[in-house]
Amino acid sequence: MASSRRKLGKPDLLAIGLQDAACWQINGKKLKHVGDKSANWQRLTAIPNCLYAFCCGNGVLYIGKTTKTLSKRFVGYCDPGNGRATNWKCHQKIRALLHADKSVRILVLPSHSHLSWGGFEINLAAGLEDALVKAFNPPWNGSNKNPLTETTINEEELSKKP
């Protein structure tokens, strides 16, 4: 029997508190992120432990998290150089959409809560990433059968090093 469950999208991320805060643009050969003044992008990019998503229309293309600040994490997407495969893949896909006159929005959930368990602080972004990638199955997070989180990708890349 076919599932009648609807595809999750950008409105669902907004409903759980992610902010539509910026967009990607092409700046020469590099990408740049340009924040919305109303979202206070400069403040958001300076906060560590963020969950973020790249969206086109209502579609969720990629969900990631960083323990660094967004500003530091997005350097890899802007100019991947000899960086990780994830940076290259997202960089190329964002550029292709922008060249097709599509808008790629950046949604952010800053870790501003002070959740703890047994006296230990919980990283909300890290805790949500796995569940959201599984539920949304974004196409840039790996195959449809096996979506990958940033944590999984990092672990795989480390296991390949001698």
Side-chain angles (χ1 to χ4, degrees):
M1 187 151 127
S3 173
S4 62
R5 193 171 135 188
R6 71 174 178 83
K7 177 123 174 91
L8 297 172
K10 178 180 172 183
D12 299 292
L13 291 177
L14 294 171
I16 64 167
L18 276 80
Q19 300 173 40
D20 187 345
C23 66
W24 286 107
Q25 293 181 356
I26 296 177
N27 183 16
K29 291 187 177 188
K30 295 182 181 181
L31 290 178
K32 69 177 184 175
H33 45 87
V34 178
D36 297 346
K37 289 183 176 147
S38 62
N40 199 353
W41 181 242
Q42 188 172 5
R43 181 188 62 80
L44 286 175
T45 59
I47 299 171
N49 296 322
C50 289
L51 180 74
Y52 60 92
F54 301 151
C55 298
C56 185
N58 282 334
V60 177
L61 304 172
Y62 184 78
I63 296 173
K65 64 136 173 62
T66 183
T67 56
K68 301 183 261 186
T69 64
L70 285 176
S71 184
K72 288 180 182 176
R73 175 63 187 101
F74 285 5
V75 166
Y77 296 127
C78 293
D79 185 15
N82 293 324
R84 299 180 349 197
T86 301
N87 293 349
W88 271 105
K89 177 176 69 173
C90 288
H91 176 89
Q92 292 171 334
K93 290 179 181 281
I94 292 167
R95 286 182 69 87
L97 287 170
L98 295 176
H99 281 300
D101 291 325
K102 304 277 185 185
S103 175
V104 180
R105 300 294 304 171
I106 302 169
L107 277 61
V108 178
L109 179 68
S111 185
H112 52 270
S113 65
H114 297 286
L115 298 174
S116 65
W117 183 266
F120 295 95
E121 189 173 335
I122 297 170
N123 180 335
L124 184 61
L128 275 175
E129 184 197 20
D130 288 342
L132 292 178
V133 168
K134 183 176 180 182
F136 283 76
N137 196 19
W140 298 358
N141 281 84
S143 70
N144 288 339
K145 293 181 181 177
N146 188 24
L148 301 174
T149 65
E150 288 270 328
T151 303
T152 306
I153 292 166
N154 290 337
E155 289 172 352
E156 285 180 3
E157 288 179 0
L158 285 174
S159 70
K160 292 178 185 175
K161 291 184 178 181

